[in-house]
Amino acid sequence: MDPRDTPGYRLHRALSNLNSTDIEQLDGPDRKRIAEATTLLEQVELLTRPSASEETDATVDS
């Protein structure tokens, strides 16, 4: 099975690429954008993990 066909592959690659970026060479606004994108991708990754629904204590009010 090709690993690129697994759920979350592109999300993982994007997060990995952002984490490997040398932010010391970027200016302030670009650093902020990288930090925000990394945070958002980490949050999405937590929500899309197969076991995420089992690990959370969150409740949904109807």
Side-chain angles (χ1 to χ4, degrees), residues 2-51:
D2 188 356
R4 293 174 289 190
D5 293 335
T6 58
Y9 174 79
R10 290 184 180 164
L11 178 65
H12 172 73
R13 291 296 304 152
L15 186 56
S16 178
N17 287 338
L18 285 174
N19 284 332
S20 67
T21 302
D22 185 10
I23 62 171
E24 297 301 320
Q25 296 182 7
L26 301 174
D27 59 358
D30 286 338
R31 287 181 188 176
K32 183 177 178 183
R33 284 191 283 272
I34 295 288
E36 289 173 356
T38 302
T39 300
L40 290 172
L41 285 172
E42 287 171 344
Q43 290 172 355
V44 169
E45 187 174 50
L46 288 174
L47 293 174
T48 58
R49 286 190 329 219
S51 62

